[in-house]
Amino acid sequence: MIQGAGIRLNGWQRAAIAVGSAVGALLDPRRADLIAALGETTGKNAFERVLERMKKSAEGRAVLLEQPRVISANVGHAWDLPENTFGAAYARFMGSRNFSPDDRPPVRFLETKELAYVAMRAREVHDFWHTLFGLPTNLIGESALKVIEFEQMLLPMCLMSVVGGTTRFNEKQRAIFYQHYFPWAVRAGMQCTDLMCVYYERHFHEDLEVVRQRWGIIPAPPAPRPNST
């Protein structure tokens, strides 16, 4: 089912929620609801651009028409797929971290059903992107993926997350990120296909390396060994 249209906000209300969410997310980066609210209140124009691109893509149009949701009931079969497949790699990623695809917060602050679905889709394919790029879910990995997400969608929230995340790095993490992961993420985000126009669920059964090559995915560099930075 499509995500319903959200709460209508005037300019002052939208700005107040954006500022409050930004401050709260900076203080507690684990608050997914605040990060989601920040993305919605600052990202309307970006989501509109993504929606237009999806409408121009055959696979993107199929996503908009069928509105698949990345929830357990729909992706549970990934756990039964052969080891080499994209779906099995996604299942390993989720299972090894005890993640559930049902944990994403709902969209609340986008006014049309189409934009609300695009925002929900962007939120729900996040773990597909982790799988494809081979990125960990630590602070460095999440910050690197936010660089790619910004290049793909131009969401202000992604840029703010990178800035906020890097302020929490220690000296070693900062060196690793800027020497190894940031240059890679810039290159990877520019080279790959328009990832919001991919109907991932239709490709679960395909070989992981085949879909990476098809979509122009450059996997993340291995973490540097101690004393290598």
Side-chain angles (χ1 to χ4, degrees), residues 31-81:
R31 288 287 303 274
D33 58 328
L34 296 178
I35 294 172
L38 178 62
E40 294 166 35
T41 52
T42 62
K44 180 182 177 182
N45 291 340
F47 288 129
E48 287 175 341
R49 289 191 294 267
V50 171
L51 175 61
E52 290 308 308
R53 297 203 313 265
M54 292 177 74
K55 288 179 176 179
K56 294 176 182 177
S57 158
E59 206 161 321
R61 287 194 300 273
V63 171
L64 292 173
L65 177 65
E66 299 180 18
Q67 294 172 2
R69 293 294 309 280
V70 185
I71 55 177
S72 296
N74 296 342
V75 299
H77 65 286
W79 273 252
D80 300 320
L81 291 171

mmCIF file of all heavy atoms in Angstrom, residues 31-81:
data_model
loop_
_atom_site.group_PDB
_atom_site.id
_atom_site.type_symbol
_atom_site.label_atom_id
_atom_site.label_comp_id
_atom_site.label_asym_id
_atom_site.label_seq_id
_atom_site.Cartn_x
_atom_site.Cartn_y
_atom_site.Cartn_z
ATOM 1 N N ARG A 31 18.494 8.506 16.939
ATOM 2 C CA ARG A 31 17.075 8.842 16.804
ATOM 3 C C ARG A 31 16.680 8.846 15.322
ATOM 4 O O ARG A 31 16.718 9.880 14.648
ATOM 5 C CB ARG A 31 16.798 10.197 17.444
ATOM 6 C CG ARG A 31 16.848 10.198 18.965
ATOM 7 C CD ARG A 31 15.634 9.512 19.562
ATOM 8 N NE ARG A 31 14.387 10.136 19.116
ATOM 9 C CZ ARG A 31 13.831 11.186 19.712
ATOM 10 N NH1 ARG A 31 14.424 11.741 20.767
ATOM 11 N NH2 ARG A 31 12.682 11.676 19.273
ATOM 12 N N ALA A 32 16.278 7.681 14.818
ATOM 13 C CA ALA A 32 15.897 7.568 13.418
ATOM 14 C C ALA A 32 14.689 8.427 13.091
ATOM 15 O O ALA A 32 14.553 8.924 11.964
ATOM 16 C CB ALA A 32 15.604 6.103 13.078
ATOM 17 N N ASP A 33 13.808 8.643 14.063
ATOM 18 C CA ASP A 33 12.623 9.452 13.803
ATOM 19 C C ASP A 33 12.988 10.911 13.548
ATOM 20 O O ASP A 33 12.393 11.573 12.688
ATOM 21 C CB ASP A 33 11.643 9.346 14.972
ATOM 22 C CG ASP A 33 12.266 9.784 16.306
ATOM 23 O OD1 ASP A 33 13.487 9.585 16.496
ATOM 24 O OD2 ASP A 33 11.521 10.304 17.159
ATOM 25 N N LEU A 34 14.002 11.404 14.270
ATOM 26 C CA LEU A 34 14.430 12.786 14.062
ATOM 27 C C LEU A 34 15.151 12.950 12.726
ATOM 28 O O LEU A 34 14.960 13.950 12.024
ATOM 29 C CB LEU A 34 15.333 13.243 15.209
ATOM 30 C CG LEU A 34 14.679 13.309 16.593
ATOM 31 C CD1 LEU A 34 15.698 13.734 17.641
ATOM 32 C CD2 LEU A 34 13.492 14.265 16.582
ATOM 33 N N ILE A 35 15.977 11.981 12.382
ATOM 34 C CA ILE A 35 16.679 12.024 11.102
ATOM 35 C C ILE A 35 15.662 11.971 9.959
ATOM 36 O O ILE A 35 15.789 12.681 8.948
ATOM 37 C CB ILE A 35 17.688 10.873 11.006
ATOM 38 C CG1 ILE A 35 18.800 11.060 12.051
ATOM 39 C CG2 ILE A 35 18.288 10.781 9.603
ATOM 40 C CD1 ILE A 35 19.741 9.893 12.180
ATOM 41 N N ALA A 36 14.632 11.132 10.121
ATOM 42 C CA ALA A 36 13.592 11.036 9.103
ATOM 43 C C ALA A 36 12.848 12.364 8.960
ATOM 44 O O ALA A 36 12.589 12.838 7.841
ATOM 45 C CB ALA A 36 12.610 9.916 9.455
ATOM 46 N N ALA A 37 12.492 12.987 10.090
ATOM 47 C CA ALA A 37 11.781 14.270 10.055
ATOM 48 C C ALA A 37 12.635 15.342 9.398
ATOM 49 O O ALA A 37 12.128 16.170 8.623
ATOM 50 C CB ALA A 37 11.393 14.689 11.472
ATOM 51 N N LEU A 38 13.935 15.335 9.673
ATOM 52 C CA LEU A 38 14.840 16.299 9.047
ATOM 53 C C LEU A 38 14.858 16.106 7.539
ATOM 54 O O LEU A 38 14.801 17.075 6.767
ATOM 55 C CB LEU A 38 16.244 16.139 9.635
ATOM 56 C CG LEU A 38 17.336 17.037 9.060
ATOM 57 C CD1 LEU A 38 17.014 18.498 9.314
ATOM 58 C CD2 LEU A 38 18.698 16.679 9.666
ATOM 59 N N GLY A 39 14.937 14.852 7.103
ATOM 60 C CA GLY A 39 14.943 14.583 5.670
ATOM 61 C C GLY A 39 13.680 15.040 4.973
ATOM 62 O O GLY A 39 13.732 15.601 3.876
ATOM 63 N N GLU A 40 12.543 14.836 5.617
ATOM 64 C CA GLU A 40 11.269 15.211 5.009
ATOM 65 C C GLU A 40 11.074 16.723 4.954
ATOM 66 O O GLU A 40 10.587 17.267 3.952
ATOM 67 C CB GLU A 40 10.125 14.567 5.784
ATOM 68 C CG GLU A 40 10.099 13.046 5.684
ATOM 69 C CD GLU A 40 9.185 12.429 6.718
ATOM 70 O OE1 GLU A 40 8.144 13.039 7.035
ATOM 71 O OE2 GLU A 40 9.502 11.330 7.231
ATOM 72 N N THR A 41 11.431 17.413 6.033
ATOM 73 C CA THR A 41 11.165 18.856 6.097
ATOM 74 C C THR A 41 12.153 19.678 5.279
ATOM 75 O O THR A 41 11.879 20.841 4.967
ATOM 76 C CB THR A 41 11.177 19.347 7.556
ATOM 77 O OG1 THR A 41 12.388 18.919 8.204
ATOM 78 C CG2 THR A 41 9.984 18.795 8.324
ATOM 79 N N THR A 42 13.293 19.110 4.933
ATOM 80 C CA THR A 42 14.273 19.847 4.125
ATOM 81 C C THR A 42 14.408 19.290 2.713
ATOM 82 O O THR A 42 15.117 19.872 1.893
ATOM 83 C CB THR A 42 15.665 19.821 4.787
ATOM 84 O OG1 THR A 42 16.127 18.461 4.874
ATOM 85 C CG2 THR A 42 15.625 20.438 6.178
ATOM 86 N N GLY A 43 13.729 18.169 2.418
ATOM 87 C CA GLY A 43 14.013 17.462 1.175
ATOM 88 C C GLY A 43 12.927 17.438 0.128
ATOM 89 O O GLY A 43 13.029 16.686 -0.850
ATOM 90 N N LYS A 44 11.888 18.266 0.273
ATOM 91 C CA LYS A 44 10.773 18.210 -0.675
ATOM 92 C C LYS A 44 11.239 18.401 -2.119
ATOM 93 O O LYS A 44 10.861 17.630 -3.015
ATOM 94 C CB LYS A 44 9.721 19.264 -0.321
ATOM 95 C CG LYS A 44 8.529 19.252 -1.274
ATOM 96 C CD LYS A 44 7.526 20.347 -0.915
ATOM 97 C CE LYS A 44 6.372 20.375 -1.907
ATOM 98 N NZ LYS A 44 5.412 21.464 -1.612
ATOM 99 N N ASN A 45 12.063 19.410 -2.380
ATOM 100 C CA ASN A 45 12.523 19.666 -3.757
ATOM 101 C C ASN A 45 13.344 18.504 -4.293
ATOM 102 O O ASN A 45 13.228 18.130 -5.465
ATOM 103 C CB ASN A 45 13.333 20.953 -3.814
ATOM 104 C CG ASN A 45 12.487 22.191 -3.575
ATOM 105 O OD1 ASN A 45 11.271 22.160 -3.718
ATOM 106 N ND2 ASN A 45 13.130 23.292 -3.195
ATOM 107 N N ALA A 46 14.169 17.935 -3.433
ATOM 108 C CA ALA A 46 14.989 16.795 -3.855
ATOM 109 C C ALA A 46 14.110 15.593 -4.188
ATOM 110 O O ALA A 46 14.322 14.914 -5.201
ATOM 111 C CB ALA A 46 15.995 16.438 -2.757
ATOM 112 N N PHE A 47 13.117 15.318 -3.354
ATOM 113 C CA PHE A 47 12.227 14.194 -3.623
ATOM 114 C C PHE A 47 11.411 14.429 -4.898
ATOM 115 O O PHE A 47 11.114 13.480 -5.635
ATOM 116 C CB PHE A 47 11.292 13.951 -2.439
ATOM 117 C CG PHE A 47 11.979 13.360 -1.237
ATOM 118 C CD1 PHE A 47 11.830 13.939 0.011
ATOM 119 C CD2 PHE A 47 12.759 12.225 -1.354
ATOM 120 C CE1 PHE A 47 12.464 13.387 1.124
ATOM 121 C CE2 PHE A 47 13.398 11.670 -0.252
ATOM 122 C CZ PHE A 47 13.245 12.256 0.997
ATOM 123 N N GLU A 48 11.057 15.672 -5.183
ATOM 124 C CA GLU A 48 10.344 15.979 -6.426
ATOM 125 C C GLU A 48 11.220 15.670 -7.636
ATOM 126 O O GLU A 48 10.746 15.135 -8.642
ATOM 127 C CB GLU A 48 9.910 17.445 -6.433
ATOM 128 C CG GLU A 48 8.755 17.740 -5.484
ATOM 129 C CD GLU A 48 8.415 19.213 -5.405
ATOM 130 O OE1 GLU A 48 9.283 20.047 -5.783
ATOM 131 O OE2 GLU A 48 7.302 19.547 -4.970
ATOM 132 N N ARG A 49 12.510 15.994 -7.547
ATOM 133 C CA ARG A 49 13.429 15.696 -8.655
ATOM 134 C C ARG A 49 13.591 14.188 -8.831
ATOM 135 O O ARG A 49 13.628 13.677 -9.960
ATOM 136 C CB ARG A 49 14.783 16.360 -8.412
ATOM 137 C CG ARG A 49 14.762 17.874 -8.544
ATOM 138 C CD ARG A 49 16.167 18.441 -8.546
ATOM 139 N NE ARG A 49 16.836 18.255 -7.266
ATOM 140 C CZ ARG A 49 16.835 19.145 -6.281
ATOM 141 N NH1 ARG A 49 16.184 20.295 -6.415
ATOM 142 N NH2 ARG A 49 17.481 18.903 -5.153
ATOM 143 N N VAL A 50 13.696 13.460 -7.729
ATOM 144 C CA VAL A 50 13.805 12.001 -7.809
ATOM 145 C C VAL A 50 12.545 11.420 -8.449
ATOM 146 O O VAL A 50 12.617 10.532 -9.307
ATOM 147 C CB VAL A 50 14.036 11.391 -6.413
ATOM 148 C CG1 VAL A 50 13.936 9.863 -6.473
ATOM 149 C CG2 VAL A 50 15.397 11.801 -5.864
ATOM 150 N N LEU A 51 11.390 11.915 -8.045
ATOM 151 C CA LEU A 51 10.120 11.436 -8.602
ATOM 152 C C LEU A 51 10.087 11.632 -10.114
ATOM 153 O O LEU A 51 9.681 10.716 -10.856
ATOM 154 C CB LEU A 51 8.961 12.182 -7.942
ATOM 155 C CG LEU A 51 7.557 11.908 -8.487
ATOM 156 C CD1 LEU A 51 7.184 10.443 -8.325
ATOM 157 C CD2 LEU A 51 6.532 12.801 -7.782
ATOM 158 N N GLU A 52 10.521 12.776 -10.596
ATOM 159 C CA GLU A 52 10.516 13.026 -12.035
ATOM 160 C C GLU A 52 11.469 12.082 -12.762
ATOM 161 O O GLU A 52 11.163 11.604 -13.867
ATOM 162 C CB GLU A 52 10.869 14.488 -12.318
ATOM 163 C CG GLU A 52 9.775 15.465 -11.908
ATOM 164 C CD GLU A 52 8.427 15.096 -12.488
ATOM 165 O OE1 GLU A 52 8.346 14.898 -13.728
ATOM 166 O OE2 GLU A 52 7.453 14.980 -11.707
ATOM 167 N N ARG A 53 12.620 11.810 -12.158
ATOM 168 C CA ARG A 53 13.555 10.867 -12.794
ATOM 169 C C ARG A 53 12.958 9.467 -12.830
ATOM 170 O O ARG A 53 13.124 8.744 -13.824
ATOM 171 C CB ARG A 53 14.892 10.850 -12.043
ATOM 172 C CG ARG A 53 15.641 12.160 -12.061
ATOM 173 C CD ARG A 53 17.128 11.974 -11.825
ATOM 174 N NE ARG A 53 17.438 11.117 -10.712
ATOM 175 C CZ ARG A 53 17.693 11.531 -9.471
ATOM 176 N NH1 ARG A 53 17.628 12.839 -9.191
ATOM 177 N NH2 ARG A 53 17.994 10.682 -8.517
ATOM 178 N N MET A 54 12.300 9.069 -11.773
ATOM 179 C CA MET A 54 11.689 7.731 -11.736
ATOM 180 C C MET A 54 10.613 7.606 -12.807
ATOM 181 O O MET A 54 10.470 6.551 -13.442
ATOM 182 C CB MET A 54 11.105 7.453 -10.352
ATOM 183 C CG MET A 54 12.159 7.320 -9.269
ATOM 184 S SD MET A 54 11.470 7.081 -7.608
ATOM 185 C CE MET A 54 10.902 5.371 -7.710
ATOM 186 N N LYS A 55 9.860 8.669 -13.048
ATOM 187 C CA LYS A 55 8.810 8.636 -14.062
ATOM 188 C C LYS A 55 9.384 8.492 -15.468
ATOM 189 O O LYS A 55 8.692 8.004 -16.380
ATOM 190 C CB LYS A 55 7.961 9.906 -13.978
ATOM 191 C CG LYS A 55 7.052 9.956 -12.757
ATOM 192 C CD LYS A 55 6.251 11.257 -12.726
ATOM 193 C CE LYS A 55 5.277 11.281 -11.565
ATOM 194 N NZ LYS A 55 4.500 12.549 -11.512
ATOM 195 N N LYS A 56 10.637 8.898 -15.667
ATOM 196 C CA LYS A 56 11.269 8.816 -16.982
ATOM 197 C C LYS A 56 11.995 7.490 -17.205
ATOM 198 O O LYS A 56 12.503 7.243 -18.306
ATOM 199 C CB LYS A 56 12.256 9.972 -17.153
ATOM 200 C CG LYS A 56 11.589 11.340 -17.192
ATOM 201 C CD LYS A 56 12.623 12.454 -17.262
ATOM 202 C CE LYS A 56 11.961 13.830 -17.262
ATOM 203 N NZ LYS A 56 12.957 14.927 -17.263
ATOM 204 N N SER A 57 12.056 6.644 -16.186
ATOM 205 C CA SER A 57 12.751 5.364 -16.268
ATOM 206 C C SER A 57 11.729 4.234 -16.264
ATOM 207 O O SER A 57 10.781 4.249 -15.466
ATOM 208 C CB SER A 57 13.688 5.212 -15.061
ATOM 209 O OG SER A 57 14.004 3.859 -14.795
ATOM 210 N N ALA A 58 11.913 3.254 -17.133
ATOM 211 C CA ALA A 58 10.966 2.134 -17.193
ATOM 212 C C ALA A 58 10.891 1.402 -15.847
ATOM 213 O O ALA A 58 9.802 1.101 -15.342
ATOM 214 C CB ALA A 58 11.372 1.168 -18.303
ATOM 215 N N GLU A 59 12.051 1.124 -15.274
ATOM 216 C CA GLU A 59 12.059 0.418 -13.995
ATOM 217 C C GLU A 59 11.559 1.322 -12.874
ATOM 218 O O GLU A 59 10.852 0.880 -11.964
ATOM 219 C CB GLU A 59 13.472 -0.103 -13.692
ATOM 220 C CG GLU A 59 13.473 -1.315 -12.796
ATOM 221 C CD GLU A 59 14.786 -2.100 -12.876
ATOM 222 O OE1 GLU A 59 15.344 -2.239 -13.976
ATOM 223 O OE2 GLU A 59 15.222 -2.573 -11.822
ATOM 224 N N GLY A 60 11.893 2.599 -12.941
ATOM 225 C CA GLY A 60 11.399 3.548 -11.950
ATOM 226 C C GLY A 60 9.889 3.672 -12.000
ATOM 227 O O GLY A 60 9.216 3.740 -10.955
ATOM 228 N N ARG A 61 9.322 3.687 -13.220
ATOM 229 C CA ARG A 61 7.863 3.747 -13.351
ATOM 230 C C ARG A 61 7.201 2.509 -12.768
ATOM 231 O O ARG A 61 6.120 2.587 -12.157
ATOM 232 C CB ARG A 61 7.461 3.912 -14.822
ATOM 233 C CG ARG A 61 7.740 5.291 -15.383
ATOM 234 C CD ARG A 61 7.014 5.503 -16.711
ATOM 235 N NE ARG A 61 7.418 4.542 -17.741
ATOM 236 C CZ ARG A 61 8.444 4.699 -18.559
ATOM 237 N NH1 ARG A 61 9.205 5.780 -18.461
ATOM 238 N NH2 ARG A 61 8.729 3.782 -19.467
ATOM 239 N N ALA A 62 7.846 1.359 -12.936
ATOM 240 C CA ALA A 62 7.300 0.128 -12.363
ATOM 241 C C ALA A 62 7.283 0.197 -10.841
ATOM 242 O O ALA A 62 6.324 -0.248 -10.199
ATOM 243 C CB ALA A 62 8.124 -1.075 -12.838
ATOM 244 N N VAL A 63 8.330 0.779 -10.269
ATOM 245 C CA VAL A 63 8.362 0.955 -8.814
ATOM 246 C C VAL A 63 7.221 1.865 -8.371
ATOM 247 O O VAL A 63 6.498 1.557 -7.399
ATOM 248 C CB VAL A 63 9.719 1.529 -8.361
ATOM 249 C CG1 VAL A 63 9.681 1.909 -6.884
ATOM 250 C CG2 VAL A 63 10.841 0.524 -8.608
ATOM 251 N N LEU A 64 7.025 2.976 -9.071
ATOM 252 C CA LEU A 64 5.959 3.906 -8.702
ATOM 253 C C LEU A 64 4.575 3.278 -8.877
ATOM 254 O O LEU A 64 3.660 3.541 -8.087
ATOM 255 C CB LEU A 64 6.060 5.174 -9.546
ATOM 256 C CG LEU A 64 7.283 6.061 -9.287
ATOM 257 C CD1 LEU A 64 7.332 7.184 -10.317
ATOM 258 C CD2 LEU A 64 7.266 6.634 -7.873
ATOM 259 N N LEU A 65 4.425 2.458 -9.908
ATOM 260 C CA LEU A 65 3.132 1.835 -10.169
ATOM 261 C C LEU A 65 2.794 0.780 -9.117
ATOM 262 O O LEU A 65 1.680 0.746 -8.578
ATOM 263 C CB LEU A 65 3.132 1.201 -11.562
ATOM 264 C CG LEU A 65 1.855 0.449 -11.961
ATOM 265 C CD1 LEU A 65 0.679 1.416 -12.049
ATOM 266 C CD2 LEU A 65 2.062 -0.275 -13.290
ATOM 267 N N GLU A 66 3.769 -0.074 -8.797
ATOM 268 C CA GLU A 66 3.505 -1.200 -7.887
ATOM 269 C C GLU A 66 3.783 -0.862 -6.425
ATOM 270 O O GLU A 66 3.306 -1.554 -5.530
ATOM 271 C CB GLU A 66 4.339 -2.402 -8.324
ATOM 272 C CG GLU A 66 3.997 -2.873 -9.735
ATOM 273 C CD GLU A 66 4.820 -4.074 -10.174
ATOM 274 O OE1 GLU A 66 5.403 -4.755 -9.304
ATOM 275 O OE2 GLU A 66 4.879 -4.329 -11.395
ATOM 276 N N GLN A 67 4.579 0.175 -6.204
ATOM 277 C CA GLN A 67 4.892 0.663 -4.861
ATOM 278 C C GLN A 67 5.291 -0.461 -3.891
ATOM 279 O O GLN A 67 4.655 -0.668 -2.852
ATOM 280 C CB GLN A 67 3.709 1.447 -4.314
ATOM 281 C CG GLN A 67 3.458 2.706 -5.096
ATOM 282 C CD GLN A 67 2.187 3.420 -4.724
ATOM 283 O OE1 GLN A 67 1.473 3.003 -3.828
ATOM 284 N NE2 GLN A 67 1.896 4.500 -5.404
ATOM 285 N N PRO A 68 6.349 -1.202 -4.231
ATOM 286 C CA PRO A 68 6.796 -2.261 -3.325
ATOM 287 C C PRO A 68 7.296 -1.668 -2.011
ATOM 288 O O PRO A 68 7.868 -0.575 -1.980
ATOM 289 C CB PRO A 68 7.936 -2.917 -4.106
ATOM 290 C CG PRO A 68 8.454 -1.823 -5.002
ATOM 291 C CD PRO A 68 7.240 -1.036 -5.392
ATOM 292 N N ARG A 69 7.073 -2.381 -0.937
ATOM 293 C CA ARG A 69 7.576 -1.989 0.381
ATOM 294 C C ARG A 69 8.630 -2.990 0.827
ATOM 295 O O ARG A 69 8.470 -4.198 0.675
ATOM 296 C CB ARG A 69 6.432 -1.942 1.397
ATOM 297 C CG ARG A 69 5.407 -0.844 1.162
ATOM 298 C CD ARG A 69 5.998 0.539 1.343
ATOM 299 N NE ARG A 69 6.707 0.660 2.609
ATOM 300 C CZ ARG A 69 6.109 0.868 3.801
ATOM 301 N NH1 ARG A 69 4.792 1.006 3.867
ATOM 302 N NH2 ARG A 69 6.825 0.955 4.905
ATOM 303 N N VAL A 70 9.721 -2.485 1.382
ATOM 304 C CA VAL A 70 10.790 -3.347 1.884
ATOM 305 C C VAL A 70 10.453 -3.688 3.329
ATOM 306 O O VAL A 70 10.921 -3.052 4.278
ATOM 307 C CB VAL A 70 12.164 -2.658 1.764
ATOM 308 C CG1 VAL A 70 13.272 -3.640 2.175
ATOM 309 C CG2 VAL A 70 12.399 -2.172 0.341
ATOM 310 N N ILE A 71 9.602 -4.679 3.468
ATOM 311 C CA ILE A 71 9.182 -5.164 4.778
ATOM 312 C C ILE A 71 9.350 -6.676 4.799
ATOM 313 O O ILE A 71 9.482 -7.320 3.757
ATOM 314 C CB ILE A 71 7.723 -4.774 5.083
ATOM 315 C CG1 ILE A 71 6.786 -5.269 3.978
ATOM 316 C CG2 ILE A 71 7.597 -3.256 5.265
ATOM 317 C CD1 ILE A 71 5.310 -4.992 4.233
ATOM 318 N N SER A 72 9.342 -7.249 5.995
ATOM 319 C CA SER A 72 9.633 -8.678 6.150
ATOM 320 C C SER A 72 8.738 -9.552 5.277
ATOM 321 O O SER A 72 9.199 -10.529 4.680
ATOM 322 C CB SER A 72 9.480 -9.089 7.615
ATOM 323 O OG SER A 72 10.435 -8.435 8.419
ATOM 324 N N ALA A 73 7.462 -9.200 5.204
ATOM 325 C CA ALA A 73 6.529 -10.015 4.435
ATOM 326 C C ALA A 73 6.889 -10.074 2.956
ATOM 327 O O ALA A 73 6.555 -11.047 2.271
ATOM 328 C CB ALA A 73 5.107 -9.466 4.606
ATOM 329 N N ASN A 74 7.579 -9.044 2.460
ATOM 330 C CA ASN A 74 7.894 -8.974 1.032
ATOM 331 C C ASN A 74 9.303 -9.422 0.684
ATOM 332 O O ASN A 74 9.562 -9.797 -0.467
ATOM 333 C CB ASN A 74 7.696 -7.545 0.533
ATOM 334 C CG ASN A 74 6.255 -7.090 0.620
ATOM 335 O OD1 ASN A 74 5.342 -7.899 0.733
ATOM 336 N ND2 ASN A 74 6.046 -5.788 0.573
ATOM 337 N N VAL A 75 10.235 -9.351 1.623
ATOM 338 C CA VAL A 75 11.637 -9.675 1.300
ATOM 339 C C VAL A 75 12.142 -10.893 2.065
ATOM 340 O O VAL A 75 13.316 -11.248 1.948
ATOM 341 C CB VAL A 75 12.561 -8.462 1.562
ATOM 342 C CG1 VAL A 75 12.164 -7.280 0.698
ATOM 343 C CG2 VAL A 75 12.588 -8.077 3.037
ATOM 344 N N GLY A 76 11.280 -11.549 2.814
ATOM 345 C CA GLY A 76 11.719 -12.696 3.606
ATOM 346 C C GLY A 76 12.287 -13.831 2.785
ATOM 347 O O GLY A 76 13.126 -14.602 3.272
ATOM 348 N N HIS A 77 11.861 -13.931 1.516
ATOM 349 C CA HIS A 77 12.369 -15.018 0.667
ATOM 350 C C HIS A 77 13.851 -14.855 0.345
ATOM 351 O O HIS A 77 14.496 -15.809 -0.114
ATOM 352 C CB HIS A 77 11.577 -15.093 -0.636
ATOM 353 C CG HIS A 77 11.738 -13.893 -1.513
ATOM 354 N ND1 HIS A 77 11.152 -12.677 -1.247
ATOM 355 C CD2 HIS A 77 12.448 -13.722 -2.660
ATOM 356 C CE1 HIS A 77 11.476 -11.808 -2.195
ATOM 357 N NE2 HIS A 77 12.260 -12.405 -3.058
ATOM 358 N N ALA A 78 14.411 -13.672 0.582
ATOM 359 C CA ALA A 78 15.846 -13.461 0.310
ATOM 360 C C ALA A 78 16.706 -14.409 1.134
ATOM 361 O O ALA A 78 17.800 -14.801 0.704
ATOM 362 C CB ALA A 78 16.229 -12.005 0.609
ATOM 363 N N TRP A 79 16.229 -14.805 2.318
ATOM 364 C CA TRP A 79 16.990 -15.685 3.190
ATOM 365 C C TRP A 79 17.112 -17.103 2.608
ATOM 366 O O TRP A 79 17.943 -17.877 3.053
ATOM 367 C CB TRP A 79 16.343 -15.732 4.571
ATOM 368 C CG TRP A 79 16.796 -14.647 5.488
ATOM 369 C CD1 TRP A 79 17.618 -14.771 6.573
ATOM 370 C CD2 TRP A 79 16.470 -13.245 5.413
ATOM 371 N NE1 TRP A 79 17.817 -13.541 7.166
ATOM 372 C CE2 TRP A 79 17.128 -12.594 6.485
ATOM 373 C CE3 TRP A 79 15.694 -12.475 4.552
ATOM 374 C CZ2 TRP A 79 17.025 -11.216 6.711
ATOM 375 C CZ3 TRP A 79 15.586 -11.117 4.765
ATOM 376 C CH2 TRP A 79 16.245 -10.503 5.835
ATOM 377 N N ASP A 80 16.307 -17.442 1.616
ATOM 378 C CA ASP A 80 16.316 -18.787 1.035
ATOM 379 C C ASP A 80 17.020 -18.843 -0.314
ATOM 380 O O ASP A 80 17.066 -19.900 -0.938
ATOM 381 C CB ASP A 80 14.870 -19.287 0.865
ATOM 382 C CG ASP A 80 14.128 -19.358 2.190
ATOM 383 O OD1 ASP A 80 14.748 -19.769 3.199
ATOM 384 O OD2 ASP A 80 12.929 -18.994 2.219
ATOM 385 N N LEU A 81 17.577 -17.725 -0.769
ATOM 386 C CA LEU A 81 18.197 -17.681 -2.091
ATOM 387 C C LEU A 81 19.634 -18.203 -2.050
ATOM 388 O O LEU A 81 20.272 -18.221 -0.989
ATOM 389 C CB LEU A 81 18.175 -16.244 -2.621
ATOM 390 C CG LEU A 81 16.787 -15.709 -2.985
ATOM 391 C CD1 LEU A 81 16.851 -14.213 -3.291
ATOM 392 C CD2 LEU A 81 16.211 -16.466 -4.185
#
